[in-house]
Structures are given as C-alpha cells and as structure tokens.
Coordinates of all heavy atoms in Angstrom, one line a residue:
N1 N 65.2 -96.0 -9.3 CA 63.8 -96.3 -8.9 C 63.0 -95.0 -9.0 O 63.4 -94.0 -8.5 CB 63.9 -96.7 -7.4 CG 62.5 -97.1 -6.9 OD1 61.4 -96.7 -7.4 ND2 62.5 -98.1 -5.9
K2 N 61.9 -95.0 -9.7 CA 61.2 -93.8 -9.9 C 60.6 -93.2 -8.7 O 60.2 -92.1 -8.6 CB 60.1 -94.0 -11.0 CG 58.9 -94.8 -10.5 CD 57.9 -94.9 -11.6 CE 56.6 -95.5 -11.1 NZ 55.6 -95.6 -12.1
N3 N 60.5 -94.0 -7.6 CA 60.0 -93.5 -6.3 C 61.0 -92.5 -5.6 O 60.6 -91.8 -4.7 CB 59.7 -94.7 -5.4 CG 58.5 -95.6 -5.9 OD1 57.6 -95.1 -6.5 ND2 58.6 -96.8 -5.7
L4 N 62.1 -92.4 -6.2 CA 63.1 -91.6 -5.6 C 63.0 -90.2 -6.2 O 63.7 -89.3 -5.8 CB 64.5 -92.1 -5.7 CG 64.8 -93.4 -5.1 CD1 66.2 -93.9 -5.5 CD2 64.7 -93.3 -3.6
F5 N 62.1 -90.0 -7.1 CA 61.9 -88.7 -7.7 C 60.6 -88.1 -7.5 O 59.6 -88.8 -7.2 CB 62.1 -88.9 -9.3 CG 63.5 -89.3 -9.7 CD1 63.7 -90.7 -9.7 CD2 64.5 -88.4 -10.0 CE1 65.1 -91.1 -10.1 CE2 65.7 -88.8 -10.4 CZ 66.0 -90.1 -10.4
C6 N 60.5 -86.8 -7.6 CA 59.2 -86.1 -7.5 C 58.7 -86.0 -8.9 O 59.2 -85.2 -9.7 CB 59.4 -84.7 -7.0 SG 59.9 -84.8 -5.2
I7 N 57.8 -86.8 -9.3 CA 57.3 -86.9 -10.7 C 55.9 -86.3 -10.8 O 55.0 -86.6 -10.0 CB 57.2 -88.4 -11.2 CG1 58.6 -89.0 -11.1 CG2 56.6 -88.5 -12.6 CD1 58.6 -90.4 -11.4
P8 N 55.7 -85.2 -11.7 CA 54.4 -84.6 -11.8 C 53.4 -85.6 -12.1 O 53.6 -86.7 -12.8 CB 54.6 -83.7 -13.0 CG 56.1 -83.5 -13.1 CD 56.8 -84.7 -12.6
K9 N 52.1 -85.4 -11.7 CA 51.0 -86.2 -11.9 C 50.8 -86.7 -13.3 O 50.4 -87.8 -13.6 CB 49.8 -85.7 -11.3 CG 49.7 -85.6 -9.8 CD 48.3 -85.7 -9.3 CE 48.3 -85.6 -7.8 NZ 48.5 -87.0 -7.2
H10 N 51.0 -85.8 -14.3 CA 50.8 -86.1 -15.7 C 51.8 -87.1 -16.2 O 51.8 -87.5 -17.4 CB 50.7 -84.9 -16.5 CG 51.9 -83.9 -16.5 ND1 52.0 -83.1 -15.5 CD2 52.9 -83.9 -17.4 CE1 53.1 -82.4 -15.7 NE2 53.7 -82.8 -16.9
Y11 N 52.8 -87.5 -15.5 CA 53.8 -88.5 -15.8 C 53.7 -89.8 -15.0 O 54.7 -90.5 -14.9 CB 55.2 -87.9 -15.8 CG 55.5 -86.9 -16.8 CD1 55.9 -85.7 -16.5 CD2 55.4 -87.2 -18.3 CE1 56.2 -84.7 -17.5 CE2 55.7 -86.3 -19.2 CZ 56.1 -85.0 -18.8 OH 56.3 -84.1 -19.8
E12 N 52.7 -89.9 -14.2 CA 52.5 -91.0 -13.3 C 52.7 -92.4 -13.9 O 53.1 -93.4 -13.2 CB 51.3 -91.0 -12.5 CG 51.3 -89.9 -11.4 CD 49.9 -89.9 -10.6 OE1 49.0 -90.4 -11.1 OE2 49.9 -89.4 -9.5
D13 N 52.5 -92.5 -15.2 CA 52.4 -93.8 -15.9 C 53.9 -94.2 -16.2 O 54.1 -95.2 -16.9 CB 51.5 -93.8 -17.0 CG 51.9 -92.8 -18.1 OD1 52.5 -91.8 -17.7 OD2 51.5 -93.0 -19.3
L14 N 54.9 -93.4 -15.9 CA 56.2 -93.8 -16.2 C 56.6 -95.1 -15.5 O 56.3 -95.4 -14.4 CB 57.3 -92.7 -15.8 CG 57.3 -91.4 -16.6 CD1 58.2 -90.4 -15.8 CD2 57.8 -91.7 -17.9
E15 N 57.4 -95.9 -16.3 CA 57.9 -97.1 -15.6 C 59.2 -97.0 -14.9 O 59.5 -97.6 -13.9 CB 58.0 -98.3 -16.7 CG 56.7 -98.8 -17.1 CD 56.8 -99.9 -18.1 OE1 57.8 -100.7 -18.0 OE2 56.0 -100.0 -19.0
R16 N 60.1 -96.2 -15.6 CA 61.5 -96.0 -15.1 C 61.9 -94.6 -15.4 O 61.4 -93.8 -16.3 CB 62.4 -96.9 -15.8 CG 62.3 -98.4 -15.6 CD 63.3 -99.2 -16.2 NE 63.1 -100.6 -16.1 CZ 62.3 -101.3 -16.9 NH1 61.7 -100.8 -17.9 NH2 62.2 -102.6 -16.7
V17 N 62.9 -94.1 -14.6 CA 63.6 -92.8 -14.9 C 65.1 -93.2 -15.2 O 65.7 -93.8 -14.5 CB 63.5 -91.9 -13.6 CG1 64.4 -90.7 -13.9 CG2 62.2 -91.7 -13.3
F18 N 65.5 -92.7 -16.4 CA 66.9 -92.9 -16.8 C 67.7 -91.6 -16.6 O 67.2 -90.6 -17.0 CB 67.0 -93.4 -18.2 CG 66.5 -94.8 -18.4 CD1 65.2 -94.9 -18.9 CD2 67.2 -96.0 -18.2 CE1 64.6 -96.2 -19.1 CE2 66.7 -97.2 -18.3 CZ 65.4 -97.4 -18.8
I19 N 68.9 -91.7 -16.0 CA 69.7 -90.5 -15.9 C 70.9 -90.7 -16.7 O 71.7 -91.5 -16.5 CB 70.1 -90.3 -14.5 CG1 68.9 -90.1 -13.6 CG2 71.0 -89.0 -14.3 CD1 69.1 -90.2 -12.1
P20 N 71.1 -89.8 -17.8 CA 72.4 -89.9 -18.6 C 73.5 -89.8 -17.7 O 73.6 -89.0 -16.8 CB 72.3 -88.8 -19.6 CG 70.8 -88.5 -19.6 CD 70.3 -88.8 -18.3
H21 N 74.6 -90.6 -18.0 CA 75.8 -90.5 -17.2 C 76.4 -89.2 -17.0 O 76.8 -88.8 -15.9 CB 76.9 -91.4 -17.8 CG 78.2 -91.5 -17.1 ND1 78.4 -92.1 -15.9 CD2 79.4 -91.0 -17.4 CE1 79.6 -91.9 -15.4 NE2 80.2 -91.2 -16.3
G22 N 76.5 -88.3 -18.0 CA 77.0 -87.0 -17.9 C 76.2 -86.1 -17.0 O 76.8 -85.1 -16.4
H23 N 75.0 -86.4 -16.7 CA 74.1 -85.5 -15.9 C 74.0 -86.0 -14.4 O 73.6 -85.3 -13.6 CB 72.7 -85.5 -16.4 CG 72.6 -84.9 -17.8 ND1 72.7 -83.6 -18.1 CD2 72.5 -85.5 -19.0 CE1 72.6 -83.3 -19.4 NE2 72.5 -84.4 -20.0
T24 N 74.6 -87.2 -14.2 CA 74.5 -87.7 -12.8 C 75.1 -86.8 -11.8 O 74.4 -86.5 -10.8 CB 75.1 -89.2 -12.8 OG1 74.5 -90.0 -13.8 CG2 74.9 -89.8 -11.5
H25 N 76.4 -86.4 -12.0 CA 77.0 -85.6 -11.0 C 76.3 -84.3 -10.7 O 76.0 -83.9 -9.6 CB 78.5 -85.2 -11.5 CG 79.3 -84.6 -10.4 ND1 79.7 -85.2 -9.3 CD2 79.8 -83.3 -10.4 CE1 80.4 -84.3 -8.6 NE2 80.4 -83.2 -9.2
G26 N 75.8 -83.6 -11.8 CA 75.0 -82.4 -11.6 C 73.7 -82.6 -10.8 O 73.4 -81.9 -10.0
L27 N 73.1 -83.8 -11.1 CA 71.8 -84.1 -10.4 C 72.1 -84.4 -8.9 O 71.3 -83.9 -8.1 CB 71.2 -85.4 -11.0 CG 69.7 -85.3 -11.3 CD1 69.5 -85.5 -12.7 CD2 69.1 -86.3 -10.4
I28 N 73.2 -85.1 -8.6 CA 73.5 -85.3 -7.2 C 73.9 -84.0 -6.5 O 73.5 -83.8 -5.4 CB 74.7 -86.3 -7.1 CG1 74.2 -87.6 -7.6 CG2 75.3 -86.4 -5.7 CD1 75.3 -88.7 -7.8
L29 N 74.7 -83.1 -7.1 CA 75.0 -81.9 -6.5 C 73.7 -81.0 -6.3 O 73.6 -80.4 -5.3 CB 75.9 -81.1 -7.3 CG 77.4 -81.6 -7.4 CD1 78.3 -80.8 -8.4 CD2 78.0 -81.6 -6.0
D30 N 72.9 -81.0 -7.2 CA 71.5 -80.3 -7.0 C 70.8 -80.9 -5.8 O 70.3 -80.0 -5.0 CB 70.7 -80.5 -8.3 CG 69.4 -79.6 -8.2 OD1 69.6 -78.5 -8.0 OD2 68.3 -80.2 -8.4
R31 N 70.8 -82.1 -5.5 CA 70.1 -82.7 -4.5 C 70.8 -82.3 -3.1 O 70.2 -82.0 -2.1 CB 70.0 -84.2 -4.6 CG 69.0 -84.6 -5.5 CD 68.6 -86.0 -5.3 NE 67.6 -86.4 -6.3 CZ 66.3 -86.6 -6.0 NH1 65.9 -86.5 -4.7 NH2 65.5 -86.9 -6.8
Y32 N 72.1 -82.2 -3.1 CA 72.9 -81.8 -2.0 C 72.5 -80.4 -1.6 O 72.1 -80.2 -0.5 CB 74.4 -81.6 -2.3 CG 75.2 -82.8 -2.4 CD1 76.5 -82.7 -3.0 CD2 74.8 -84.1 -2.1 CE1 77.3 -83.8 -3.2 CE2 75.6 -85.2 -2.2 CZ 76.9 -85.0 -2.8 OH 77.7 -86.1 -3.0
E33 N 72.5 -79.5 -2.6 CA 72.2 -78.1 -2.3 C 70.7 -77.9 -1.9 O 70.3 -77.3 -0.9 CB 72.5 -77.2 -3.5 CG 72.3 -75.7 -3.1 CD 72.7 -74.8 -4.2 OE1 73.2 -75.3 -5.2 OE2 72.5 -73.7 -4.0
K34 N 69.8 -78.5 -2.7 CA 68.4 -78.1 -2.5 C 67.7 -79.0 -1.4 O 66.7 -78.6 -0.8 CB 67.7 -78.4 -3.7 CG 67.9 -77.4 -4.8 CD 67.0 -77.6 -6.0 CE 67.4 -76.5 -7.0 NZ 66.7 -76.7 -8.3
H35 N 68.3 -80.1 -1.0 CA 67.7 -81.0 -0.1 C 68.6 -81.2 1.2 O 68.3 -80.6 2.3 CB 67.3 -82.3 -0.7 CG 66.3 -82.1 -1.8 ND1 65.0 -81.8 -1.6 CD2 66.5 -82.3 -3.1 CE1 64.4 -81.7 -2.8 NE2 65.4 -82.0 -3.7
L36 N 69.6 -82.0 1.1 CA 70.3 -82.4 2.2 C 71.0 -81.3 3.0 O 70.9 -81.1 4.2 CB 71.3 -83.5 1.8 CG 72.0 -84.2 2.9 CD1 71.0 -84.9 3.9 CD2 72.9 -85.3 2.4
A37 N 71.8 -80.4 2.3 CA 72.6 -79.4 2.9 C 71.6 -78.4 3.5 O 71.7 -77.9 4.7 CB 73.4 -78.6 1.9
R38 N 70.5 -78.0 2.8 CA 69.6 -77.0 3.4 C 68.8 -77.7 4.5 O 68.5 -76.9 5.5 CB 68.6 -76.6 2.3 CG 69.2 -75.7 1.3 CD 68.3 -75.2 0.2 NE 69.1 -74.6 -0.8 CZ 68.7 -73.6 -1.5 NH1 67.6 -73.0 -1.2 NH2 69.5 -73.0 -2.4
D39 N 68.4 -78.9 4.5 CA 67.7 -79.6 5.6 C 68.7 -79.6 6.8 O 68.2 -79.3 8.0 CB 67.4 -81.1 5.2 CG 66.2 -81.2 4.3 OD1 65.6 -80.0 4.0 OD2 66.0 -82.3 3.8
I40 N 69.9 -79.9 6.6 CA 70.9 -79.9 7.8 C 70.9 -78.5 8.4 O 70.8 -78.3 9.6 CB 72.3 -80.3 7.4 CG1 72.2 -81.8 7.0 CG2 73.3 -80.1 8.4 CD1 73.5 -82.4 6.4
M41 N 71.1 -77.5 7.5 CA 71.2 -76.1 8.0 C 69.8 -75.7 8.8 O 69.9 -75.1 9.8 CB 71.4 -75.1 6.9 CG 72.8 -75.2 6.3 SD 74.1 -74.7 7.4 CE 73.9 -73.0 7.2
Q42 N 68.7 -76.1 8.2 CA 67.5 -75.7 8.8 C 67.3 -76.5 10.2 O 66.9 -75.9 11.2 CB 66.3 -76.1 7.9 CG 65.0 -75.6 8.4 CD 63.9 -75.8 7.3 OE1 64.0 -76.8 6.5 NE2 63.0 -74.9 7.2
D43 N 67.6 -77.8 10.2 CA 67.4 -78.6 11.4 C 68.4 -78.2 12.5 O 68.0 -78.2 13.6 CB 67.7 -80.1 11.1 CG 66.6 -80.7 10.3 OD1 65.5 -80.1 10.1 OD2 66.9 -81.8 9.8
M44 N 69.6 -77.7 12.2 CA 70.5 -77.3 13.2 C 70.3 -75.9 13.7 O 70.7 -75.7 14.9 CB 71.9 -77.4 12.6 CG 72.4 -78.8 12.3 SD 72.3 -79.9 13.7 CE 73.6 -79.2 14.8
G45 N 69.5 -75.1 13.0 CA 69.3 -73.8 13.5 C 70.6 -73.0 13.6 O 71.4 -72.9 12.7
S46 N 70.9 -72.5 14.8 CA 72.2 -71.8 15.0 C 73.2 -72.6 15.8 O 74.2 -72.1 16.3 CB 71.9 -70.4 15.8 OG 71.3 -70.7 17.0
H47 N 72.9 -73.9 16.0 CA 73.8 -74.9 16.8 C 75.0 -75.2 15.9 O 75.0 -75.2 14.7 CB 73.0 -76.1 17.1 CG 71.9 -76.0 18.0 ND1 72.1 -75.6 19.4 CD2 70.6 -76.0 17.9 CE1 70.9 -75.5 20.0 NE2 69.9 -75.7 19.1
H48 N 76.0 -75.5 16.6 CA 77.3 -75.8 16.0 C 77.2 -77.2 15.3 O 76.6 -78.1 15.9 CB 78.3 -75.9 17.1 CG 79.8 -76.2 16.7 ND1 80.8 -75.6 17.3 CD2 80.3 -76.9 15.7 CE1 81.9 -76.0 16.8 NE2 81.5 -76.8 15.8
I49 N 77.6 -77.3 14.1 CA 77.6 -78.6 13.3 C 78.9 -79.3 13.5 O 79.9 -78.6 13.3 CB 77.3 -78.3 11.8 CG1 75.9 -77.7 11.6 CG2 77.4 -79.6 11.0 CD1 75.5 -77.3 10.3
V50 N 78.9 -80.5 13.9 CA 80.1 -81.3 14.0 C 79.9 -82.4 12.9 O 79.1 -83.3 13.0 CB 80.3 -81.9 15.3 CG1 81.6 -82.8 15.3 CG2 80.4 -80.8 16.4
A51 N 80.7 -82.2 11.8 CA 80.7 -83.3 10.8 C 81.7 -84.3 11.0 O 82.9 -84.0 10.9 CB 80.8 -82.5 9.4
L52 N 81.3 -85.5 11.1 CA 82.2 -86.5 11.4 C 82.2 -87.6 10.3 O 81.3 -88.2 10.0 CB 81.8 -87.2 12.8 CG 82.7 -88.0 13.5 CD1 84.0 -87.3 13.9 CD2 82.1 -88.5 14.7
F53 N 83.3 -87.7 9.6 CA 83.5 -88.5 8.5 C 84.0 -89.9 9.0 O 85.0 -90.0 9.6 CB 84.4 -87.9 7.4 CG 84.7 -88.8 6.2 CD1 83.6 -89.0 5.3 CD2 85.9 -89.4 6.0 CE1 83.9 -89.8 4.1 CE2 86.1 -90.2 5.0 CZ 85.1 -90.4 4.0
V54 N 83.3 -91.0 8.4 CA 83.7 -92.3 8.9 C 84.2 -93.2 7.8 O 85.2 -93.9 7.9 CB 82.5 -93.0 9.6 CG1 82.9 -94.5 10.0 CG2 82.1 -92.2 10.8
F55 N 83.5 -93.2 6.6 CA 83.8 -94.1 5.6 C 84.8 -93.5 4.6 O 84.6 -92.4 4.0 CB 82.5 -94.6 4.8 CG 81.5 -95.2 5.7 CD1 80.3 -94.4 5.9 CD2 81.7 -96.4 6.2 CE1 79.4 -95.0 6.8 CE2 80.8 -97.0 7.0 CZ 79.7 -96.3 7.3
K56 N 85.9 -94.3 4.3 CA 86.9 -93.8 3.3 C 86.3 -93.6 1.9 O 86.5 -92.6 1.3 CB 88.0 -94.8 3.1 CG 89.0 -94.8 4.1 CD 90.1 -95.8 3.8 CE 91.3 -95.6 4.7 NZ 92.3 -96.6 4.3
G57 N 85.5 -94.4 1.4 CA 84.9 -94.4 0.1 C 83.9 -93.2 -0.1 O 83.6 -92.9 -1.3
G58 N 83.5 -92.7 0.9 CA 82.5 -91.5 0.8 C 83.1 -90.2 0.9 O 82.4 -89.2 1.1
Y59 N 84.4 -90.1 0.7 CA 85.0 -88.8 1.0 C 84.5 -87.7 0.0 O 84.3 -86.6 0.4 CB 86.6 -88.9 0.9 CG 87.2 -87.6 1.0 CD1 87.3 -86.9 2.2 CD2 87.7 -86.9 -0.1 CE1 87.9 -85.7 2.3 CE2 88.2 -85.6 0.0 CZ 88.3 -85.0 1.2 OH 88.9 -83.7 1.3
K60 N 84.4 -88.0 -1.3 CA 83.9 -87.1 -2.2 C 82.4 -86.6 -1.9 O 82.2 -85.4 -1.9 CB 83.9 -87.7 -3.7 CG 83.3 -86.8 -4.8 CD 84.4 -85.8 -5.1 CE 84.0 -85.0 -6.3 NZ 84.1 -83.6 -6.2
F61 N 81.6 -87.5 -1.5 CA 80.2 -87.1 -1.0 C 80.3 -86.1 0.1 O 79.7 -85.1 0.2 CB 79.4 -88.4 -0.7 CG 78.2 -88.1 0.0 CD1 77.0 -87.6 -0.7 CD2 78.0 -88.1 1.3 CE1 75.8 -87.3 -0.1 CE2 76.8 -87.7 2.0 CZ 75.7 -87.5 1.2
F62 N 81.2 -86.5 1.1 CA 81.3 -85.7 2.3 C 81.8 -84.3 2.0 O 81.3 -83.3 2.5 CB 82.2 -86.5 3.2 CG 82.5 -85.8 4.6 CD1 81.5 -86.0 5.6 CD2 83.7 -85.2 4.9 CE1 81.7 -85.4 6.8 CE2 83.9 -84.7 6.1 CZ 82.9 -84.8 7.2
A63 N 82.9 -84.3 1.1 CA 83.4 -83.0 0.8 C 82.5 -82.1 0.0 O 82.4 -80.9 0.3 CB 84.8 -83.3 0.0
D64 N 81.7 -82.7 -0.9 CA 80.8 -81.9 -1.7 C 79.6 -81.4 -0.8 O 79.2 -80.3 -0.9 CB 80.2 -82.8 -2.8 CG 81.0 -83.0 -4.0 OD1 82.1 -82.3 -4.1 OD2 80.8 -83.9 -4.8
L65 N 79.2 -82.3 0.2 CA 78.1 -81.8 1.1 C 78.6 -80.7 2.0 O 77.9 -79.7 2.2 CB 77.6 -83.0 1.9 CG 76.6 -82.7 3.0 CD1 75.3 -82.1 2.3 CD2 76.3 -84.0 3.8
L66 N 79.8 -80.8 2.5 CA 80.3 -79.7 3.4 C 80.5 -78.5 2.5 O 80.3 -77.4 3.0 CB 81.7 -80.2 3.9 CG 81.5 -81.1 5.1 CD1 82.9 -81.6 5.6 CD2 80.7 -80.6 6.2
G67 N 80.9 -78.6 1.2 CA 81.1 -77.4 0.4 C 79.7 -76.7 0.2 O 79.6 -75.5 0.2
R68 N 78.6 -77.5 0.1 CA 77.3 -76.9 0.0 C 76.9 -76.2 1.3 O 76.2 -75.2 1.3 CB 76.2 -77.9 -0.5 CG 76.5 -78.5 -1.8 CD 76.4 -77.4 -2.9 NE 76.8 -77.9 -4.2 CZ 76.7 -77.2 -5.2 NH1 76.3 -75.9 -5.3 NH2 77.1 -77.7 -6.4
I69 N 77.1 -76.8 2.4 CA 76.9 -76.3 3.7 C 77.7 -74.9 3.8 O 77.1 -73.9 4.3 CB 77.1 -77.2 4.8 CG1 76.1 -78.3 4.8 CG2 77.1 -76.5 6.2 CD1 76.3 -79.6 5.7
K70 N 78.9 -75.0 3.5 CA 79.8 -73.7 3.5 C 79.2 -72.7 2.7 O 79.1 -71.5 3.1 CB 81.2 -74.1 3.1 CG 82.1 -72.9 3.2 CD 83.5 -73.3 2.8 CE 84.5 -72.1 2.8 NZ 85.8 -72.5 2.3
A71 N 78.7 -72.9 1.4 CA 78.2 -72.0 0.5 C 76.9 -71.4 1.1 O 76.7 -70.2 1.0 CB 78.0 -72.6 -0.9
L72 N 76.0 -72.2 1.7 CA 74.8 -71.8 2.4 C 75.2 -70.8 3.5 O 74.5 -69.9 3.8 CB 74.0 -72.9 2.8 CG 73.2 -73.7 1.7 CD1 72.7 -74.9 2.3 CD2 72.3 -72.9 1.0
N73 N 76.2 -71.2 4.2 CA 76.7 -70.4 5.4 C 77.1 -69.0 4.9 O 76.8 -68.0 5.6 CB 77.8 -71.0 6.1 CG 77.6 -71.6 7.4 OD1 76.6 -71.1 8.0 ND2 78.4 -72.4 7.9
Q74 N 77.8 -69.0 3.9 CA 78.4 -67.7 3.3 C 77.3 -66.9 2.7 O 77.3 -65.6 2.7 CB 79.5 -67.9 2.3 CG 80.7 -68.5 2.9 CD 81.7 -68.9 1.9 OE1 81.5 -69.0 0.7 NE2 83.0 -69.1 2.3
N75 N 76.4 -67.4 2.0 CA 75.3 -66.7 1.2 C 74.0 -66.6 2.0 O 73.0 -65.9 1.4 CB 75.1 -67.3 -0.1 CG 76.4 -67.5 -0.9 OD1 77.1 -66.5 -0.9 ND2 76.5 -68.5 -1.6
G76 N 73.8 -67.2 3.1 CA 72.6 -67.1 3.8 C 72.5 -66.0 4.8 O 73.4 -65.2 4.9
D77 N 71.4 -66.0 5.6 CA 71.1 -64.9 6.5 C 71.8 -65.1 7.8 O 72.1 -64.2 8.6 CB 69.6 -64.9 6.8 CG 68.8 -64.6 5.6 OD1 69.3 -63.8 4.7 OD2 67.5 -64.9 5.6
K78 N 72.2 -66.4 8.0 CA 73.0 -66.7 9.3 C 74.1 -67.6 9.0 O 74.2 -68.1 8.0 CB 72.0 -67.4 10.3 CG 71.5 -68.7 9.7 CD 70.5 -69.4 10.7 CE 70.0 -70.7 10.0 NZ 69.2 -71.4 11.0
S79 N 75.1 -67.7 10.0 CA 76.2 -68.5 9.7 C 76.3 -69.4 11.0 O 76.2 -69.0 12.1 CB 77.5 -67.6 9.8 OG 78.6 -68.4 9.5
V80 N 76.5 -70.7 10.7 CA 76.5 -71.7 11.7 C 77.9 -72.3 11.8 O 78.5 -72.6 10.7 CB 75.5 -72.9 11.3 CG1 75.6 -74.0 12.4 CG2 74.1 -72.4 11.2
P81 N 78.6 -72.3 12.9 CA 79.9 -72.9 13.0 C 79.9 -74.4 12.6 O 79.0 -75.1 13.0 CB 80.3 -72.7 14.5 CG 79.1 -72.3 15.2 CD 78.0 -71.9 14.2
V82 N 81.0 -74.8 11.9 CA 81.1 -76.1 11.4 C 82.5 -76.6 11.8 O 83.5 -76.0 11.5 CB 80.9 -76.3 9.9 CG1 81.0 -77.7 9.5 CG2 79.4 -75.8 9.5
T83 N 82.5 -77.8 12.4 CA 83.9 -78.4 12.8 C 83.8 -79.7 12.0 O 82.8 -80.5 12.0 CB 83.9 -78.7 14.3 OG1 83.8 -77.5 15.0 CG2 85.3 -79.4 14.6
V84 N 85.0 -80.1 11.4 CA 85.1 -81.3 10.6 C 86.2 -82.2 11.3 O 87.2 -81.8 11.7 CB 85.5 -81.0 9.2 CG1 85.7 -82.3 8.4 CG2 84.5 -80.1 8.5
D85 N 85.8 -83.5 11.4 CA 86.8 -84.4 12.0 C 86.6 -85.8 11.3 O 85.6 -86.0 10.6 CB 86.6 -84.7 13.5 CG 87.9 -85.1 14.2 OD1 88.8 -85.3 13.5 OD2 87.9 -85.1 15.4
F86 N 87.6 -86.6 11.3 CA 87.7 -87.9 10.8 C 87.9 -89.0 11.7 O 88.7 -88.8 12.7 CB 88.8 -88.0 9.7 CG 88.6 -87.0 8.6 CD1 89.0 -85.7 8.8 CD2 88.1 -87.4 7.4 CE1 88.9 -84.7 7.7 CE2 87.9 -86.5 6.4 CZ 88.3 -85.2 6.5
V87 N 87.3 -90.2 11.6 CA 87.4 -91.2 12.5 C 87.7 -92.6 11.7 O 87.2 -92.7 10.6 CB 86.3 -91.5 13.5 CG1 86.1 -90.3 14.4 CG2 85.0 -91.8 12.8
R88 N 88.4 -93.5 12.3 CA 88.6 -94.8 11.7 C 87.9 -95.8 12.6 O 88.1 -95.7 13.9 CB 90.1 -95.1 11.6 CG 90.8 -94.3 10.6 CD 92.2 -94.6 10.8 NE 92.7 -95.4 9.7 CZ 93.9 -95.8 9.5 NH1 94.9 -95.5 10.3 NH2 94.3 -96.5 8.4
I89 N 87.2 -96.7 12.0 CA 86.6 -97.9 12.8 C 87.1 -99.2 12.1 O 87.3 -99.2 10.9 CB 85.1 -97.7 12.9 CG1 84.5 -97.7 11.5 CG2 84.8 -96.6 13.8 CD1 82.9 -97.8 11.6
K90 N 87.2 -100.2 12.8 CA 87.6 -101.5 12.3 C 86.3 -102.1 11.7 O 85.3 -102.1 12.3 CB 88.1 -102.4 13.4 CG 89.5 -102.0 13.9 CD 89.9 -102.9 15.0 CE 91.2 -102.5 15.5 NZ 91.7 -103.4 16.5
S91 N 86.4 -102.7 10.4 CA 85.3 -103.2 9.8 C 84.9 -104.6 10.4 O 83.8 -105.0 10.1 CB 85.6 -103.4 8.3 OG 86.7 -104.3 8.2
C92 N 85.8 -105.2 11.2 CA 85.4 -106.5 11.8 C 84.8 -106.4 13.1 O 84.3 -107.4 13.7 CB 86.7 -107.4 11.9 SG 87.9 -106.7 12.9
C93 N 84.7 -105.2 13.6 CA 84.0 -105.0 15.0 C 82.5 -104.7 14.9 O 82.1 -104.0 14.0 CB 84.7 -103.8 15.7 SG 86.4 -104.2 16.1

C-alpha cells in the first residue's frame, strides 16, 4: 500500500509501490533502525526496557529489533537496560 511510504509530492500520482524481493529485508531493517527502534529508545528515555516475546512466528522480527536497540544502546549517548523474556499463551483462550 503506497500509504505506508513517505512519497515526495512530485510522485503523488503513483498508483502502487513495488519492492523487489531482494530489497525487502534491507528495507525492513532500515525501518527497524530509523523508526521503531529509535522511537522505542526515545519513548523509554532512561527507563528499563522489558522486551516480552509472545508469538513464535515473529522471532526473527523480535531478534532483529532487539539487535537494533542494542546497537543504538552501544553507539548512542546513553545506555538503557534491556531485559528479554519469552511467554507462551494458548491460542484457544
């Protein structure tokens, strides 16, 4: 969906955005670092982050996101403590 992208005004008439398969992983990692991981770090300030993983299928996403948070922690001006834990829930409840 093109609404998921920041498209410059001179390209507003685009109908669709196609992402080649080989570039998808890089695009997702870029969004982790530039948006989600940085937003989390900014929102948490100096508070302890507790990352709780729930869904089995999202492990790669979870691991990549935590990797970006760790990199920001190491390369940033401040370091925020991060604790990771895993929980299981029944899908029928």
Side-chain angles (χ1 to χ4, degrees):
N1 184 335
K2 73 176 189 174
N3 294 327
L4 299 175
F5 296 89
C6 296
I7 299 173
K9 289 209 177 274
H10 57 278
Y11 290 121
E12 284 182 341
D13 59 334
L14 287 176
E15 289 183 33
R16 292 182 184 90
V17 175
F18 292 99
I19 302 170
H21 178 69
H23 297 283
T24 305
H25 187 68
L27 227 120
I28 292 170
L29 287 177
D30 185 56
R31 285 192 178 257
Y32 287 166
E33 183 175 2
K34 289 186 178 171
H35 300 288
L36 190 54
R38 288 179 193 222
D39 287 350
I40 289 169
M41 293 289 288
Q42 188 174 34
D43 290 349
M44 292 304 293
S46 60
H47 296 285
H48 185 144
I49 296 173
V50 178
L52 200 55
F53 177 71
V54 179
F55 302 109
K56 279 185 172 181
Y59 177 75
K60 179 71 172 135
F61 170 82
F62 185 74
D64 286 345
L65 178 59
L66 284 176
R68 295 296 174 179
I69 290 172
K70 181 180 177 183
L72 288 171
N73 248 343
Q74 291 173 344
N75 301 323
D77 297 335
K78 61 182 178 175
S79 182
V80 177
V82 179
T83 301
V84 178
D85 206 351
F86 298 81
V87 295
R88 289 172 108 176
I89 56 174
K90 293 181 180 181
S91 60
C92 60
C93 294

